Amino acid sequence: MKILKGINRASVAATVSLTAGAVLAGSAFASTAQAAAPPTPTITAKGGFVMNNGTAKTLYGKAADTRRSTGSTTKIMTAKVVLSQKNLNLDSKVTIQKAYSDYIVKNTASSARLIVGDKVTVRQLLYGLMLPSGCDAAYALADKFGTGTTRAARVKSFIGKMNASAKSLGLKNTRFDSFDGIGSGSNYSTPRDLTKIASSAMKNSTFRAIVKTKSTKQKVTTKSGGYRYMSWTNTNAMLGSYTGMIGVKTGSGPTAKYCLVFAATRNGKTVIGTVLTSTSATTRTADAKKLLDYGFKK
């Protein structure tokens, strides 16, 4: 009996020793895993969201579902609606109306510098919309692709299509009251919703080609039948300065402050996200860079 008791005590001691060792080893592994996780970034923007574009997995969120003014990032949906039209002919021409340039002057809005009477293709209008953030190009597209007997009716119809598209994506915190972000106070979205809109838009090859373009020179037909060249530069400063950057759109405004929807691809992984209400063009870029760096490490 004494021998058996001794064996049992030894076994218990060995078991305790092994268990303690396993716990210590487990703790060491846990510490290593925790140490390997990238630190969560701090951004200036009031709202931010990042996801893996391939899996739709959320990688980061800050007030991700808080509704905010979106400025010209609204134009992502403008382009998406145009590109989703049935039997779309990107080479069909639109005659630039005085109403478009008057709108720019009235609102002191960003412009593609379209000239009244020129005939510009739908594809060119999309470049003018997304690169220099032309509100005149946005107006021309809304007028072209809305339905109705008056310009006002066509614009209202087009904005309706923008809202219908948001609804089809299941977005509950997005509403558009304008084709360009210059609304009447009821134009809003969230970092999460805008990211989803951009992710959907990026499935279109024409959209992808446009938003990754740093600058372009387009030949348009003049009123007299001649031609002129329009040169547009992308307002997205991260193109060419951040490795793998592929888009998508800047935005700004009195209420929106500075916004950016961004996407980049590295080693086959695409990270896409949004920052809303940052303090300057410089800080929105810095915010986006931090979130992309973080996203690629996750």
Side-chain angles (χ1 to χ4, degrees):
M1 289 296 292
K2 287 182 180 179
I3 294 171
L4 286 172
K5 284 179 181 177
I7 291 170
N8 286 342
R9 284 174 186 154
S11 298
V12 169
T15 302
V16 169
S17 177
L18 285 168
T19 303
V23 170
L24 288 170
S27 299
F29 285 130
S31 299
T32 303
Q34 287 172 358
T40 303
T42 301
I43 61 172
T44 303
K46 289 187 177 180
F49 181 78
V50 174
M51 73 178 190
N52 181 319
N53 195 52
T55 64
K57 180 186 176 182
T58 298
L59 304 175
Y60 172 93
K62 175 185 177 181
D65 300 307
T66 301
R67 297 174 178 180
R68 300 187 187 280
S69 178
T70 57
S72 286
T73 60
T74 297
K75 291 166 183 160
I76 296 170
M77 181 59 93
T78 307
K80 177 174 161 55
V81 168
V82 170
L83 290 165
S84 67
Q85 298 302 299
K86 289 181 180 179
N87 304 314
L88 177 65
N89 179 4
L90 288 167
D91 297 317
S92 64
K93 292 184 177 179
V94 176
T95 302
I96 304 306
Q97 306 294 317
K98 186 174 182 293
Y100 311 156
S101 56
D102 288 348
Y103 175 82
I104 292 293
V105 174
K106 178 185 176 183
N107 293 283
T108 319
S110 53
S111 172
R113 304 182 306 281
L114 300 175
I115 296 171
V116 176
D118 280 5
K119 291 178 174 60
V120 185
T121 68
V122 171
R123 190 192 310 272
Q124 289 169 335
L125 284 173
L126 287 167
Y127 274 97
L129 173 77
M130 299 304 287
L131 271 66
S133 199
C135 295
D136 45 358
Y139 197 166
L141 289 166
D143 193 8
K144 165 77 173 174
F145 292 101
T147 55
T149 56
T150 66
R151 183 173 292 120
R154 290 190 293 273
V155 166
K156 184 178 180 180
S157 162
F158 186 86
I159 295 168
K161 291 181 181 183
M162 293 170 69
N163 284 312
S165 183
K167 187 176 180 180
S168 73
L169 290 172
L171 310 181
K172 301 186 185 304
N173 291 307
T174 295
R175 183 178 183 277
F176 300 106
D177 68 356
S178 70
F179 47 73
D180 58 0
I182 303 174
S184 55
S186 298
N187 201 93
Y188 57 78
S189 189
T190 68
R192 189 191 306 272
D193 280 9
L194 262 178
T195 301
K196 289 182 178 180
I197 292 169
S199 178
S200 178
M202 290 290 273
K203 292 175 182 177
N204 183 283
S205 59
T206 299
F207 184 89
R208 290 197 305 274
I210 291 170
V211 298
K212 74 176 183 182
T213 301
K214 289 171 67 177
S215 63
T216 186
K217 193 174 184 180
Q218 299 283 335
K219 185 179 181 179
V220 304
T221 305
T222 64
K223 186 177 182 179
S224 62
Y227 65 88
R228 78 173 91 249
Y229 285 98
M230 303 297 291
S231 295
W232 295 312
T233 301
N234 204 314
T235 56
N236 184 359
M238 293 185 75
L239 287 169
S241 67
Y242 187 88
T243 303
M245 194 70 183
I246 56 173
V248 292
K249 185 74 185 72
T250 62
S252 62
T255 306
K257 301 305 179 185
Y258 293 86
C259 313
L260 182 60
V261 181
F262 50 87
T265 300
R266 290 182 181 176
N267 301 318
K269 178 182 179 180
T270 298
V271 175
I272 188 166
T274 299
V275 289
L276 294 180
T277 326
S278 200
T279 55
S280 69
T282 302
T283 54
R284 75 180 170 196
T285 299
D287 285 344
K289 184 179 182 297
K290 285 179 186 178
L291 294 186
L292 282 168
D293 287 347
Y294 180 73
F296 282 120
K297 289 175 184 174
K298 286 284 281 185

